[in-house]
Amino acid sequence: MAYRETEKMRQRKAEARQRIIECTWACVSEGGFRSARITRIAALAGVATGTIYRHFESREDLFAEIFRLATQREVDKVAEALTVGESTVQRLENALRQFATRALKGPMKAWALIAEPVDPKVEEERLVYRKAYASLFEQAIQDGIAEGCLPDQDARLTSTCLVGAISESLVGPLSPTQTKTPPGHENNDNDLVETIVCFCIRGLTGTRS
Amino acid sequence: MAYRETEKMRQRKAEARQRIIECTWACVSEGGFRSARITRIAALAGVATGTIYRHFESREDLFAEIFRLATQREVDKVAEALTVGESTVQRLENALRQFATRALKGPMKAWALIAEPVDPKVEEERLVYRKAYASLFEQAIQDGIAEGCLPDQDARLTSTCLVGAISESLVGPLSPTQTKTPPGHENNDNDLVETIVCFCIRGLTGTRS
């Protein structure tokens, strides 16, 4: 009788794949992509390193997959935040605030997704996802122009200005080599978010928010 | 008699190094880092590939050096542009315009320096140079606050917003996969630069420029 993959085997394989993904993300969340070693991931997931390469062609392919899954979650959060607020400007503020606040709450994760120097294969994904964020903002800016609450502008271009401003301004604060917030300055994060949001909204509206 | 490097040999070595650097930059200018192959660089420079590895430990080290040299030239241009203008806002506008205009005039070079997915070693340099641009802007913003022509703000943070906005908004237009400007739309570049500069200045000043 020819070898046939049983339902049970398929299920076991899918579970192993899921465990590999979860353990990789756990490693990345702790120390970024650089520190996520295949041997460590395999140990955490309880599989042989060879098993990982049966599921993913290379370390870079595994990382690209992790990057996509984790970033898609963040894109969804921004999309969700863009539905909340009375005016388009408030919705945009809400989405920018959401992005920055979430990043600062999970600085290592956010550093890995936004700024950590990574393999070109993962960096390619970053370019794709920056476009995804920009598309969301672009739609909102276009709505704002149509409603008359934003001045006429090249929404595609200014949406990328938003993406750039918000991610680049977080690079320093998120950097693992950055000195930690000294005690008594815990409000810094809040000021930081408000400064970034204010810059972005001013950039779009031309008025102080 | 022990082997001693003569003055002439040292000079010949320095010349070879310089030629390698120039030929690498020529390749990068033409097709980005990805397309700059060591065999091609060696052929252009008229040296054996082994010679390249006597001067640079690896392809990544060579690229990091090229990146530093080319980006430093751009940083210097921005620094220079920041000295020209009657007010701080005009000087900032001038510098932002200079950065964007130079990028759009040499799109492949700028793509390689700003956005091309590269080896983490080169990406590390990118982070360093983004800080260099930000420091220049930060100083100018602080001057503007002191002079009263910019509202009080966290200059360190808003300087990174500028760096992010101007580089991210150029990524699409510079991308080699981007469709070229159709004939009759050659003014697009100018509109593009003005939109980006306007967003940035609005972000800093809170007024329409």
Side-chain angles (χ1 to χ4, degrees):
Chain A
M1 199 180 94
Y3 171 80
R4 275 221 327 242
E5 200 176 54
T6 64
E7 184 51 40
K8 204 170 172 183
M9 283 166 74
R10 261 197 297 276
Q11 200 187 324
R12 217 179 289 158
K13 253 176 137 176
E15 280 168 10
R17 189 176 198 278
Q18 190 52 33
R19 249 186 355 263
I20 293 167
I21 287 176
E22 280 163 15
C23 295
T24 308
W25 182 235
C27 287
V28 172
S29 306
E30 217 184 280
F33 284 102
R34 182 178 294 186
S35 77
R37 303 271 154 217
I38 290 293
T39 46
R40 174 121 191 280
I41 295 165
L44 277 174
V47 299
T49 56
T51 308
I52 294 185
Y53 293 112
R54 274 210 298 280
H55 288 277
F56 301 93
E57 263 190 42
S58 66
R59 185 171 182 253
E60 290 69 40
D61 284 296
L62 168 59
F63 284 3
E65 173 80 8
I66 297 301
F67 188 93
R68 278 191 294 269
L69 290 168
T71 305
Q72 188 58 55
R73 270 199 297 273
E74 298 306 313
V75 170
D76 293 344
K77 288 283 175 190
V78 166
E80 207 184 293
L82 270 173
T83 65
V84 180
E86 297 204 345
S87 68
T88 302
V89 171
Q90 279 175 9
R91 284 191 283 275
L92 277 160
E93 274 189 23
N94 194 36
L96 292 163
R97 197 173 281 123
Q98 166 88 339
F99 180 92
T101 309
R102 279 180 63 84
L104 291 164
K105 271 192 190 150
M108 182 53 85
K109 288 180 202 183
W111 163 255
L113 297 181
I114 295 173
E116 187 187 358
V118 287
D119 184 84
K121 225 172 206 172
V122 182
E123 187 64 34
E124 298 269 6
E125 298 294 330
R126 229 179 232 155
L127 290 179
V128 171
Y129 276 100
R130 288 195 161 167
K131 275 195 201 163
Y133 284 118
S135 295
L136 290 175
F137 290 137
E138 185 187 344
Q139 187 52 57
I141 296 168
Q142 269 167 351
D143 293 348
I145 298 169
E147 289 162 13
C149 68
L150 287 183
D152 192 31
Q153 58 196 288
D154 179 339
R156 168 154 302 175
L157 200 57
T158 53
S159 72
T160 59
C161 289
L162 290 188
V163 173
I166 196 156
S167 22
E168 182 65 22
S169 57
L170 289 170
V171 171
L174 293 175
S175 168
T177 57
Q178 176 89 344
T179 43
K180 291 283 156 271
T181 310
H185 289 78
E186 288 83 4
N187 279 337
N188 278 0
D189 275 4
N190 204 26
D191 293 350
L192 207 122
V193 172
E194 292 314 309
T195 300
I196 299 171
V197 171
C198 171
F199 177 94
C200 288
I201 298 297
R202 279 178 177 177
L204 292 178
T205 62
T207 51
R208 301 192 192 183
S209 91
Chain B
M1 200 179 98
Y3 170 79
R4 273 218 332 238
E5 201 175 55
T6 63
E7 183 52 39
K8 204 168 173 184
M9 284 167 74
R10 260 196 298 276
Q11 201 188 324
R12 216 179 289 159
K13 253 176 138 175
E15 281 167 10
R17 190 176 197 278
Q18 189 52 34
R19 248 186 357 262
I20 293 167
I21 287 176
E22 280 162 16
C23 296
T24 308
W25 181 234
C27 288
V28 172
S29 306
E30 216 184 280
F33 285 101
R34 181 178 295 186
S35 77
R37 302 271 155 219
I38 290 293
T39 46
R40 173 120 192 282
I41 295 164
L44 276 174
V47 299
T49 56
T51 307
I52 294 185
Y53 293 112
R54 274 209 298 280
H55 288 278
F56 300 93
E57 264 191 41
S58 65
R59 185 171 183 253
E60 291 69 40
D61 284 294
L62 167 60
F63 285 2
E65 173 81 7
I66 297 300
F67 187 93
R68 278 191 295 270
L69 291 168
T71 305
Q72 188 58 53
R73 269 199 296 273
E74 298 306 314
V75 170
D76 292 344
K77 288 283 173 191
V78 166
E80 207 185 294
L82 270 173
T83 65
V84 179
E86 296 204 346
S87 69
T88 301
V89 171
Q90 280 175 6
R91 283 191 284 276
L92 278 161
E93 273 190 20
N94 194 36
L96 293 163
R97 198 171 281 126
Q98 166 87 337
F99 181 92
T101 309
R102 279 180 63 83
L104 291 165
K105 274 193 188 147
M108 183 53 85
K109 288 181 201 182
W111 163 256
L113 297 180
I114 296 174
E116 187 187 358
V118 287
D119 184 84
K121 225 172 206 172
V122 182
E123 188 64 35
E124 298 270 5
E125 298 295 330
R126 229 179 232 156
L127 291 179
V128 172
Y129 275 101
R130 288 195 160 166
K131 275 195 201 164
Y133 285 117
S135 296
L136 290 174
F137 291 136
E138 185 186 343
Q139 187 53 55
I141 296 168
Q142 268 167 352
D143 293 347
I145 299 168
E147 289 161 14
C149 67
L150 287 182
D152 191 32
Q153 58 196 289
D154 179 338
R156 169 155 302 175
L157 201 57
T158 53
S159 72
T160 59
C161 289
L162 290 188
V163 174
I166 196 155
S167 22
E168 184 65 23
S169 56
L170 288 170
V171 171
L174 293 176
S175 169
T177 57
Q178 175 89 346
T179 44
K180 291 284 157 270
T181 309
H185 289 77
E186 289 82 2
N187 280 336
N188 278 0
D189 275 5
N190 203 27
D191 292 351
L192 207 125
V193 172
E194 291 315 309
T195 300
I196 301 171
V197 171
C198 171
F199 178 94
C200 289
I201 297 298
R202 280 177 176 177
L204 292 178
T205 61
T207 51
R208 299 190 194 185
S209 90

